[in-house]
Amino acid sequence: MYWLSFKKKKDKPVTGLILPGGGARNAYQAGVLKAIGDMLPEDVENPFAVICGTSSGALNAVLLASSATRFQEGVDRLYGVWANFHVGKVFRTDSWTAIKSGFHWAVTFMGIGRVKRQPRSVLDNSPLRRLLESHIRFARIQQAIDTGCLDAVSVTASGYTSGMSVTFYQGKQGLKPWNRTRRIGQPTELTLNHLMASSAIPVLFPAVKLRNEYFGDGSMRQTAPLSPALHLGANRLLIIGVRNPRPDTPPEDARKIPFPTFGEITGYIFDTLFMDSLDADIERLRRINHTITETRDKRVKYHDTSLRQIDYLVISPSMDIRDIVARYVGNFPRSVRLLLKGIGALTREGRPLMSYLMFDAPYCKELMELGYADGMAARKQVLHLLGYEELAVETQADEAEAAS
């Protein structure tokens, strides 16, 4: 957990919520948001004027944005979705589908005969489309914007042809599109296809066509995950990560290092895809904040942009999620276990990959419990960030009384 102390500013506070991708790990975000809902008054308005999500974080972002007029209800709905997840609600797990997919890919790689149609993905995620269709009312996003409960919501996806990271956003009038190196902001009316595109993990899930281009997982090209919220007007950020920040240490005995399996390598790629850009962007934000505090007027001009200090709070897992997923390996359907075993993902080294694909209620519930505990542990900081100073003071007084 990272914390940057606040400075008094004249600007009206506009809080942005950043929900990066992480597959099944994003259940952790639902737990943190549930904690925030419980620490705020029951009739509280949506505390996040700007909500930005990528990959499976985009699913959380849009579901929350579509319930922005009833924040507490939206948090409860999000929690309920994750509490009732199972793998079959995300991708098809029947044996025939697994055999057919495996055979199609094998024939393609070996070049046997003429393959009339290249396989589009390893897994069929049509169940996820049906799940989202039944839980998200996209028309309510504009209602929330029109009533002032929400300034903007964004979903980021990666264009396979253009090589651009495109942030599709829906928001109030006056927001301007942006164009930076390999990343742009594009106003639109968000649809189910935007969510499916943003969460289309390469190779595993099929790309989705939006207008004149096919798009895949938004984490692939998103070099600046914090940027969309800032472009959409946020001047303070709550960032909910899904990786424990402590790095691994290699074993001392070099003879005990096994050659990496395909599952371990894939998990490493997923870690890089979903997490590294976020960590780098947070570090960049910290450096910019420090530079700005050293200037006389607390602002730095860069091209057509005036850089300003951004207050932020990062909440991330206090435990290693890879240790949690090991307890639930047996919950995978048999067809999925056979696939994962074949690529070495059921070993200890393959746990990162499992942690992204374990869309299973018991595992998701434990992640939500961890998120809830970590959220409550940051209660004072969260309340301070969201402008509920009086509740933060009450919390501090209660803690002092309990300690005496």
Side-chain angles (χ1 to χ4, degrees):
M1 182 183 300
Y2 303 90
W3 173 248
L4 179 71
S5 60
F6 287 98
K7 305 292 182 182
K8 290 185 177 180
K9 302 184 181 70
K10 297 178 181 178
D11 299 338
K12 176 185 175 182
V14 179
T15 306
L17 176 64
I18 306 292
L19 300 174
R25 292 185 179 202
N26 283 74
Y28 176 84
Q29 295 174 347
V32 175
L33 290 166
K34 175 67 173 172
I36 293 172
D38 285 353
M39 69 179 71
L40 295 178
E42 289 186 10
D43 58 347
V44 68
E45 295 182 353
N46 172 36
F48 304 109
V50 177
I51 304 176
C52 301
T54 304
S55 191
S56 49
L59 314 184
N60 290 347
V62 172
L63 196 152
L64 202 61
S66 66
S67 304
T69 56
R70 297 182 294 275
F71 176 71
Q72 297 284 11
E73 181 183 317
V75 169
D76 290 340
R77 286 180 60 219
L78 179 63
Y79 196 92
V81 169
W82 283 99
N84 292 284
F85 249 129
H86 61 77
V87 175
K89 287 186 175 181
V90 179
F91 52 87
R92 292 181 62 181
T93 60
D94 59 282
S95 298
W96 170 242
T97 298
I99 292 171
K100 186 170 63 173
S101 175
F103 177 76
H104 199 177
W105 277 94
V107 169
T108 301
F109 279 127
M110 290 186 293
I112 300 174
R114 282 179 147 187
V115 180
K116 293 182 179 179
R117 183 182 177 186
Q118 297 288 327
R120 297 195 168 192
S121 62
V122 173
L123 301 172
D124 177 357
N125 64 344
S126 55
L128 178 61
R129 177 178 285 273
R130 292 192 293 270
L131 176 71
L132 297 177
E133 201 169 21
S134 65
H135 281 89
I136 299 177
R137 301 291 179 265
F138 287 89
R140 292 181 180 175
I141 294 176
Q142 192 58 48
Q143 292 175 9
I145 294 170
D146 292 340
T147 57
C149 296
L150 181 70
D151 285 356
V153 56
S154 75
V155 169
T156 300
S158 303
Y160 279 116
T161 302
S162 65
M164 298 288 286
S165 174
V166 182
T167 296
F168 299 97
Y169 67 88
Q170 185 171 347
K172 65 182 183 180
Q173 291 192 0
L175 297 175
K176 297 180 180 179
W178 60 92
N179 192 333
R180 298 292 184 267
T181 303
R182 290 286 180 182
R183 52 189 174 92
I184 62 174
Q186 189 173 107
T188 190
E189 183 177 339
L190 294 176
T191 67
L192 182 56
N193 278 343
H194 291 96
L195 291 190
M196 297 302 294
S198 181
S199 58
I201 300 173
V203 181
L204 288 184
F205 296 149
V208 178
K209 190 176 183 181
L210 298 172
R211 297 181 181 174
N212 61 342
E213 186 177 5
Y214 278 95
F215 285 83
D217 197 289
S219 301
M220 287 190 288
R221 285 278 186 176
Q222 194 175 35
T223 56
L226 309 183
S227 174
L230 303 180
H231 281 293
L232 295 172
N235 54 24
R236 55 177 61 185
L237 302 175
L238 173 62
I239 306 157
I240 307 179
V242 291
R243 177 171 66 182
N244 183 284
R246 290 189 294 273
D248 293 333
T249 54
E252 296 181 1
D253 189 349
R255 294 171 298 178
K256 293 183 180 180
I257 303 175
F259 191 83
T261 65
F262 183 75
E264 182 180 358
I265 293 171
T266 305
Y268 184 92
I269 292 172
F270 276 24
D271 252 8
T272 304
L273 179 69
F274 290 124
M275 312 297 173
D276 288 0
S277 292
L278 178 66
D279 292 345
D281 209 20
I282 292 171
E283 184 178 356
R284 183 160 49 242
L285 176 61
R286 191 183 302 122
R287 282 201 309 270
I288 292 173
N289 278 345
H290 176 74
T291 300
I292 291 173
T293 59
E294 298 299 314
T295 63
R296 181 176 299 177
D297 59 357
K298 308 304 179 186
R299 285 181 181 268
V300 174
K301 194 73 175 176
Y302 179 74
H303 293 309
D304 60 341
T305 304
S306 180
L307 301 180
R308 63 193 187 281
Q309 184 175 345
I310 303 297
D311 299 327
Y312 69 96
L313 172 66
V314 182
I315 299 178
S316 56
S318 56
M319 292 177 57
D320 194 329
I321 291 179
R322 295 172 297 181
D323 293 335
I324 297 175
V325 76
R327 296 194 284 272
Y328 299 99
V329 175
N331 292 13
F332 273 124
R334 186 170 181 271
S335 60
V336 179
R337 286 204 309 275
L338 288 173
L339 174 63
L340 293 175
K341 185 177 181 180
I343 62 175
L346 297 186
T347 63
R348 176 180 176 81
E349 291 75 23
R351 288 177 188 172
L353 177 58
M354 288 190 291
S355 70
Y356 291 110
L357 298 179
M358 180 62 78
F359 290 94
D360 185 70
Y363 169 68
C364 291
K365 286 179 181 177
E366 184 162 348
L367 291 190
M368 288 192 292
E369 290 169 2
L370 176 63
Y372 188 89
D374 290 345
M376 283 299 183
R379 179 186 177 96
K380 286 189 294 185
Q381 294 93 328
V382 170
L383 292 173
H384 191 41
L385 178 84
L386 299 181
Y388 286 87
E389 305 291 348
E390 68 284 357
L391 293 180
V393 171
E394 290 175 13
T395 299
Q396 192 168 0
D398 292 341
E399 290 178 350
E401 184 178 347
S404 61

